[in-house]
Amino acid sequence: MPLTALGPRICIMGPSNSGKSTLAQAIGQACDLPVVHLDQLHHLPGTDWQPRPVAAFVALHDAAILGERWVIEGNYSRCLPQRLSRATGVILLDVPTVTSLRRYVARCWFDRHRIGALEGGRDSVKWAMLRHIAITTRANRRRYDALAETIDLPVIRLATPRAITAFYRAAGLTRPRRAAPRAKSPPAGI
């Protein structure tokens, strides 16, 4: 299925550190779509991944999906129904758990300018995140696979790093190397 079949509002979902942020940035650049990184809406800027109050995150999420054109990356199941009701297509990424763990540690230790990072924040390796990647992600994979079977939207499934690379090539996408300048984050009190 070509990228154009997904329409102007694309959701990218998948396990942590599967490449969602990078793919969203590449699609945004190629298709002139605003890119929304849900981690940046869910967490306060300038922190070590401190969540916003739930109501503030939901308000930011719901405002973001009102646009006519976007590519949004992230999972956040609490807001998934309203996101899918606005989406015109979905990309599901998957990579082996070992790959996700390796990427997580590498981004925390070495990548200070990664796409999707928090403005003014700093990544650090956390036991809770390691556990999430190694254990919780299995159930999420099954849930997202089942979801893909039931939603009435075009879905592209990319189940391996090789498939993701092939998709970049087939869609004529270029992998961004560093984070693009970010728009100003909402005030910390929101």
Side-chain angles (χ1 to χ4, degrees):
M1 178 184 309
L3 177 59
T4 55
L6 298 180
R9 293 185 300 278
I10 302 169
C11 288
I12 301 175
M13 298 171 54
S16 296
N17 300 280
S18 59
K20 297 182 300 290
S21 297
T22 304
L23 180 58
Q25 195 72 34
I27 290 172
Q29 289 173 354
C31 300
D32 195 30
L33 295 174
V35 178
V36 178
H37 301 285
L38 290 181
D39 278 345
Q40 292 176 349
L41 299 185
H42 186 261
H43 299 92
L44 293 168
T47 69
D48 191 14
W49 298 96
Q50 178 184 344
R52 291 180 192 278
V54 172
F57 166 61
V58 172
L60 290 170
H61 173 277
D62 290 353
I65 65 172
L66 289 177
E68 288 303 312
R69 299 172 44 78
W70 42 255
V71 56
I72 293 179
E73 62 85 14
N75 300 317
Y76 297 97
S77 298
R78 126 179 342 151
C79 299
L80 190 56
Q82 60 263 44
R83 191 173 337 127
L84 290 178
S85 74
R86 293 278 303 139
T88 55
V90 175
I91 298 175
L92 286 179
L93 299 183
D94 205 355
V95 297
T97 299
V98 171
T99 301
S100 289
L101 288 168
R102 181 181 46 78
R103 287 178 178 178
Y104 172 64
V105 171
R107 88 176 193 194
C108 290
W109 288 349
F110 306 113
D111 195 353
R112 297 291 176 231
H113 303 286
R114 72 174 184 83
I115 296 165
L118 291 181
E119 182 178 340
R122 184 165 185 267
D123 290 338
S124 64
V125 176
K126 295 170 186 53
W127 174 249
M129 188 62 174
L130 292 169
R131 184 180 184 288
H132 175 79
I133 293 168
I135 297 169
T136 306
T137 296
R138 285 188 196 128
N140 290 347
R141 281 186 172 113
R142 289 190 297 273
R143 191 169 73 241
Y144 296 140
D145 278 343
L147 174 73
E149 296 297 327
T150 61
I151 59 175
D152 190 25
L153 292 170
V155 177
I156 294 175
R157 289 183 179 166
L158 303 171
T160 64
R162 180 173 282 153
I164 294 168
T165 298
F167 179 75
Y168 270 88
R169 232 179 277 120
L173 300 174
T174 302
R175 285 185 198 258
R177 295 289 175 213
R178 301 192 84 174
R182 288 187 284 254
K184 198 162 180 90
S185 297
I190 291 183

